[in-house]
Amino acid sequence: MLSALRLARSIPTTNAARSVQRAYSAAATSEMVPFAGWSMPVQYSNLGVGASHNWTRTNASVFDVSHMLATRITGKDRVKFYETLTVADIENLPVGSSTLSVFTNENGGIIDDTIICKHQDSLYIVSNAGCADKDLAHIRSHLKEFQNKGGDVDLKIIDDHSLIALQGPKAAPVLEGLIGKDLRDLPFMDGRFITIKGIECHVARSGYTGEDGFEISVPNSDAVEFTKMLVSDPRVELAGLGARDSLRLEAGLCLYGHDLDDTITPVEAGLTWTIGKRRRIEGGFLGAATIQDQLKNGVSRRRIGLVVQGAPAREGAQIFANGELVGKVTSGCPSPSTKKNVAMGYVKNGLHKSGTELEVEVRGRKQKAVVTKMPFVPAGYHKV
């Protein structure tokens, strides 16, 4: 009953080389797809994508997210260094807390989105597998420059651990049963080191489904056994890329390379909240001048959510207002939770307000669509 868990992992210099041997069981689907140099399951044989999605919303699912790039940043100047690369206010982030942030380029575009967890002696960073090569090249080039100027900072790729996501409203009771203690004092976006059945783990209360859940970093040697413990609970099922995509879209969460890229700024993407208040004033990160100007004077396009009538609108579908082409869809799918067709995209500024009526062209036909606030389903994040 194993997911597509890796038995070993390395971070080589090319995506093709990043493919690693993984263990599969009869539960794994025969439909595997290449994803950022990895072979990943779209779904598992016991549950289709829709059923897996609904199971996650009502119970708990395990996602193998070991393909994500995890790094540890150390040195007394680690916060100062990482604030040159991201828009986060790491200095004022409490120890044990995490924040979603973005790496920016010189034009304010998003190189990648990332999670930064602040510990007493280090920063624990998780970013996207598909961006691993360019992220590392970007970080290392600036790291070398920073170090040459006397900065005390170092980067270590965490290649000896796997990352397992346990997501859904039953995730907490499942994990509490293994730990033997209550986790109500661990709020969403906080992380700590916890021993689970003798296994030393980093447990972050986070995820990308819109539900309560955890992302658990486990030593490679223990990853398969740890996942066996999770899926032995009748409240837990395995889930693949199909459910992960529809869950994150319902939650209004962006997928890099689709809803975000290096031409889109965090202001255009509706991610202004990731820019710390101090950072908005002080800047100090790549592209700060562009982003500060947008914060003051506005942008020409905005990310929106849509509910689309008729057939589902997929990525690339054009968006119209009164016959004028005004934008395009970046993600879209039928929503298993709402039974509606939902989508995300970018339109001209001024057309982004909730309730605005638009049209989306699908298969050569224009269909009615309405701008809708995101998330499309209420978030289930745990708050203390």
Side-chain angles (χ1 to χ4, degrees), residues 284-314:
F285 51 87
L286 295 172
T290 298
I291 290 172
Q292 288 170 324
D293 179 72
Q294 290 180 342
L295 289 169
K296 181 180 180 181
N297 299 310
V299 293
S300 60
R301 59 178 174 176
R302 298 281 292 269
R303 180 170 64 94
I304 59 165
L306 288 170
V307 171
V308 182
Q309 295 183 18
R314 305 291 186 177

Side-chain angles (χ1 to χ4, degrees), residues 250 304-307 352-355 370-377:
E250 283 188 350
I304 59 165
L306 288 170
V307 171
H352 63 283
K353 296 180 181 179
S354 182
V370 178
V371 178
T372 306
K373 288 183 178 180
M374 295 183 286
F376 297 105
V377 297

Side-chain angles (χ1 to χ4, degrees), residues 99-111:
T99 185
L100 176 69
S101 190
V102 295
F103 296 106
T104 51
N105 60 26
E106 290 78 1
N107 298 316
I110 298 172
I111 295 173

Side-chain angles (χ1 to χ4, degrees), residues 95-121:
V95 171
S97 294
S98 301
T99 185
L100 176 69
S101 190
V102 295
F103 296 106
T104 51
N105 60 26
E106 290 78 1
N107 298 316
I110 298 172
I111 295 173
D112 196 10
D113 55 309
T114 186
I115 295 287
I116 304 169
C117 186
K118 185 178 181 180
H119 290 298
Q120 193 70 48
D121 60 352

